[in-house]
Amino acid sequence: MSDAVDLFGRQWQRERPDVDVSPMHVVGRIQRLARLVDQDLKRFFGEFGMEFWEFDVLATLRRSGAEDGLTAGALLQVAMVTSGAITNRIDRLETKGLVARKPCAEDRRAVRIHLTEQGRTLIDDLLPKHMANEQRLLAALDAASREQLAGFLRTLAESLGDTPPE
């Protein structure tokens, strides 16, 4: 079997045999897979009238287990976007009735974001469907291969500074 990255590697080997292009075999595949997965997730969430970032914010709030919600700063650490972008996302989800803001009891200057009943119902309904879609995306790999790949990707992510927020 061969994929597009194999073709690119052969072409570079022919044109520039003096350059080691072996990193492309990993980085190129990660980039191409990211695009393919993004396209699929866009289609999947579009079926529910959502965008992936909406699911991501709702899922972050739901899995945190914090009944009183999270601060925008906590959401910002997970989302890897600018503070303006997270504010915009919260505004849009609030307009849809999926999240609400409430003053923080510990710090009157801060606001906590929490799921509304509608937001919680939506994320609880959508999570199993999303996991089934991800199972479909990974169907070419058996459980042992998935676990091994997850370990390799974790090591690479950690080496590049992707560690859990404190």
Side-chain angles (χ1 to χ4, degrees):
M1 290 182 47
S2 182
D3 66 3
V5 176
D6 288 326
L7 172 63
F8 305 155
R10 287 191 303 271
Q11 290 170 333
W12 279 120
Q13 182 63 39
R14 182 188 68 230
E15 298 299 320
R16 290 295 309 271
D18 58 311
V19 177
D20 176 14
V21 296
S22 62
M24 177 192 341
H25 292 274
V26 175
V27 175
R29 284 187 175 95
I30 290 171
Q31 290 177 314
R32 292 178 69 80
L33 285 168
R35 281 189 224 115
L36 291 168
V37 169
D38 283 347
Q39 289 171 359
D40 187 270
L41 293 177
K42 183 177 177 82
R43 179 205 50 78
F44 174 79
F45 287 109
E47 292 175 7
F48 299 94
M50 294 182 72
E51 298 205 31
F52 177 73
W53 68 262
E54 292 173 303
F55 173 84
D56 193 40
V57 172
L58 298 176
T60 299
L61 290 167
R62 179 67 172 99
R63 74 172 179 262
S64 76
E67 289 298 319
D68 61 342
L70 297 173
T71 63
L75 287 170
L76 183 62
Q77 286 182 330
V78 176
M80 294 176 59
V81 296
T82 66
S83 60
I86 202 70
T87 299
N88 181 277
R89 290 176 178 191
I90 294 166
D91 289 346
R92 290 172 65 185
L93 289 170
E94 190 173 38
T95 299
K96 288 185 167 188
L98 301 174
V99 302
R101 290 175 165 97
K102 65 181 175 183
C104 180
E106 302 84 37
D107 181 355
R108 292 187 341 205
R109 297 168 297 167
V111 174
R112 297 186 79 80
I113 316 306
H114 66 93
L115 290 170
T116 62
E117 183 80 27
Q118 180 183 352
R120 185 180 180 107
T121 299
L122 177 61
I123 194 66
D124 283 349
D125 180 56
L126 200 48
L127 180 65
K129 295 171 184 166
H130 175 48
M131 289 300 96
N133 187 53
E134 288 194 351
Q135 288 281 6
R136 180 189 59 78
L137 290 171
L138 298 173
L141 302 175
D142 63 24
S145 296
R146 289 181 194 187
E147 189 173 327
Q148 187 177 27
L149 178 59
F152 292 148
L153 293 172
R154 180 184 308 107
T155 299
L156 183 58
E158 288 174 356
S159 77
L160 297 173
D162 189 20
T163 57
E166 295 178 17

